[in-house]
Amino acid sequence: MSTKSILITGGAGFIGSHVVRLFVNKYSDYQIVNYDKLTYAGNLENLVDVADKSNYTFVKGDILDEQLLDEVFEKHEIDAVIHLAAESHVDRSITNPNAFIETNVMGTATLMNVARKHWKDFNGKLFYHVSTDEVYGSLGKEGYFTETTPYDPRSPYSASKASSDHLVRAYHHTYDLPVVISNCSNNYGANQFPEKLIPLFIHNIKENKSLPVYGKGDNVRDWLWVNDHADAIDVIFHSGKVGETYNIGGNNEWQNIELIKKLCEIMDEKLGRAAGSSEKLITYVKDRQGHDKRYAIDASKLKNDLGWEPSIDFAEGLEKTVDWYLQNEAWLKNVTSGAYQKYYQEQYQNR
Ligand code: NAD
Ligand code: DAU
């Protein structure tokens, strides 16, 4: 594929920042335009190392803003989109579903409408929608999600992502928009906002705060290192078949409580605390409403068709992740304190 000007939405967020960095550094002949609204979850500190590269541009914008998107498509002659911008946290979707419907459903439709308008022919064009395994619902003890598992979303977040997946497929079917979708399991790694399980618990252990385990802690998630997800997106973007869906997973299932105990063990060691001291912070709290029991991905299509596999195991990934959060205390303080807004104004408002 000879795509040269790529719009990456949500590039200032957790996964998006890794995708932007990978593409900017690996493909110097591509122009990468990072389009992000900078919600609480978007943070340009995640990208300071690429901010001044000549093939990188940041545009602060909402995916619901059709006029600004028109200008960006026109000015940068966008010929591919990697769409990651979304409201991403399940707990927030339970308290404020509308934000999820607006950004994830309406925002995705707006973005595709703009792409259709500007792409006079679809030759060499691609709309890549980054989605989640949560669209498939919840598994019992056995089985895996495959690309043909029927959709059964159960939270406002997963329902909004399922809706956007359906819209993306409908635009492909109806208008021939060249699309590809990937559905990935739980990511962990650097730059994740400390509301999600792993960064929240690292933060709380460091601060000697309690670790709120929902329900019995027996829910199961399949964890993937975020840099491996970014690599998978690179592979699918360049070699995936238009119209296809690819599941991405770590083949790495953990019951929450077992993962939390492992994290406590690593933290005790790294912080030089007595063995067992972090585990004492574990507090069982009321379960998440509608809490999905188990997610597990069968990623064999991606392996067999495109040759992608995770590059590191969980022990290595978790240790790297803990090290990153311990070495980046200022980042953690900024994103949790509002100091980030000040940083953004100083760095970017006057450019
Ligand atoms: P995130 O919450 O860390 O980042 C989302 C980014 O989107 C932020 O930078 C935010 O500012 C931006 N954004 C939000 N609303 C916007 C809007 N209206 N217009 C423009 N930008 C907006 O999310 P993440 O965890 O990096 O997830 C990225 C994508 O990957 C999402 O689509 C999510 O559904 C999907 N996904 C996430 C995971 C995971 O484990 N985190 C797993 C599978 C799929
Ligand atoms: O599966 C992919 C999805 O993974 C992504 O699409 C979502 O964007 C991402 O947020 C993630 O969703 P989860 O709900 O699985 O992630 P979270 O980190 O919120 O929770 C992981 C598990 O830990 C889940 O079973 C709920 C539990 N949990 C979470 C938090 C924040 C707790 O027990 N206590 C907590 O404080």
Side-chain angles (χ1 to χ4, degrees):
M1 173 165 208
S2 61
T3 306
K4 291 284 181 280
S5 189
I6 307 171
L7 185 76
I8 301 185
T9 69
F14 167 46
I15 301 168
S17 60
H18 293 279
V19 176
V20 166
R21 176 174 300 99
L22 178 72
F23 274 69
V24 167
N25 289 331
K26 190 168 172 184
Y27 302 107
S28 55
D29 54 334
Y30 290 178
Q31 283 301 318
I32 304 300
V33 181
N34 173 12
Y35 186 92
D36 196 297
K37 183 181 173 183
L38 298 180
T39 67
Y40 76 96
N43 182 354
L44 290 173
E45 263 187 282
N46 294 342
L47 290 166
V48 275
D49 54 322
V50 296
D52 292 324
K53 298 251 172 155
S54 58
N55 63 336
Y56 172 76
T57 307
F58 173 70
V59 178
K60 182 173 189 274
D62 194 323
I63 52 168
L64 287 153
D65 186 343
E66 191 171 336
Q67 200 185 326
L68 181 57
L69 282 170
D70 271 335
E71 287 169 24
V72 170
F73 266 71
E74 186 78 32
K75 179 172 172 196
H76 296 280
E77 297 177 14
I78 299 298
D79 42 23
V81 177
I82 304 178
H83 175 36
L84 296 109
E87 288 293 337
S88 68
H89 192 44
V90 174
D91 291 326
R92 286 179 192 257
S93 84
I94 295 168
T95 49
N96 183 15
N98 282 16
F100 288 70
I101 297 160
E102 282 157 18
T103 286
N104 301 359
V105 185
M106 288 303 299
T108 302
T110 305
L111 198 52
M112 287 192 294
N113 291 338
V114 173
R116 277 186 63 221
K117 201 189 319 173
H118 288 264
W119 292 346
K120 300 288 179 251
D121 71 75
F122 290 152
N123 201 8
K125 308 289 193 293
L126 186 67
F127 187 94
Y128 182 158
H129 186 227
V130 176
S131 192
T132 172
D133 61 355
E134 299 198 9
V135 298
Y136 298 122
S138 181
L139 292 163
K141 283 198 170 64
E142 306 287 321
Y144 295 91
F145 297 135
T146 71
E147 289 79 1
T148 55
T149 301
Y151 274 32
D152 185 21
R154 289 149 171 267
S155 73
Y157 164 69
S158 54
S160 69
K161 293 295 291 187
S163 307
S164 54
D165 285 4
H166 286 318
L167 280 169
V168 171
R169 289 196 186 97
Y171 273 53
H172 175 61
H173 184 77
T174 308
Y175 308 114
D176 285 332
L177 187 73
V179 307
V180 70
I181 298 177
S182 57
N183 296 84
C184 187
S185 62
N186 285 60
N187 284 215
Y188 69 96
N191 300 350
Q192 188 170 32
F193 192 82
E195 61 186 354
K196 309 280 182 354
L197 182 73
I198 290 180
L200 175 71
F201 279 31
I202 292 173
H203 181 58
N204 284 10
I205 292 171
K206 202 161 55 75
E207 305 282 316
N208 266 311
K209 289 185 180 159
S210 69
L211 306 176
V213 179
Y214 297 162
K216 293 186 186 136
D218 58 355
N219 302 70
V220 174
R221 297 291 183 264
D222 168 9
W223 294 91
L224 178 69
W225 193 42
V226 65
N227 301 69
D228 280 334
H229 187 187
D231 280 338
I233 288 173
D234 178 16
V235 168
I236 294 167
F237 178 82
H238 288 97
S239 313
K241 215 168 134 201
V242 167
E244 290 287 314
T245 294
Y246 298 89
N247 279 355
I248 310 173
N251 197 18
N252 178 39
E253 286 182 58
W254 284 76
Q255 230 182 32
N256 289 343
I257 192 64
E258 295 308 322
L259 187 163
I260 291 160
K261 285 182 179 165
K262 180 80 202 151
L263 196 56
C264 287
E265 199 185 299
I266 298 174
M267 290 294 285
D268 283 345
E269 212 179 288
K270 298 270 176 193
L271 297 172
R273 293 181 183 167
S277 48
S278 299
E279 265 197 40
K280 292 192 185 124
L281 299 168
I282 291 175
T283 313
Y284 290 90
V285 298
K286 193 166 166 279
D287 209 351
R288 174 185 277 173
Q289 283 172 273
H291 197 172
D292 286 342
K293 196 57 154 190
R294 174 172 167 257
Y295 305 142
I297 281 277
D298 175 348
S300 54
K301 176 176 172 182
L302 186 53
K303 182 179 170 188
N304 297 335
D305 290 5
L306 306 183
W308 176 89
E309 278 186 284
S311 73
I312 62 170
D313 66 18
F314 197 44
E316 188 183 346
L318 204 51
E319 188 164 344
K320 276 180 193 283
T321 303
V322 167
D323 285 342
W324 187 87
Y325 286 95
L326 294 180
Q327 286 157 14
N328 287 276
E329 281 193 27
W331 181 94
L332 210 51
K333 273 211 181 84
N334 285 351
V335 297
T336 49
S337 73
Y340 167 64
Q341 292 307 327
K342 188 169 164 276
Y343 166 87
Y344 167 72
Q345 270 158 14
E346 286 168 5
Q347 296 294 312
Y348 290 91
Q349 216 75 316
N350 298 322
R351 282 193 173 188

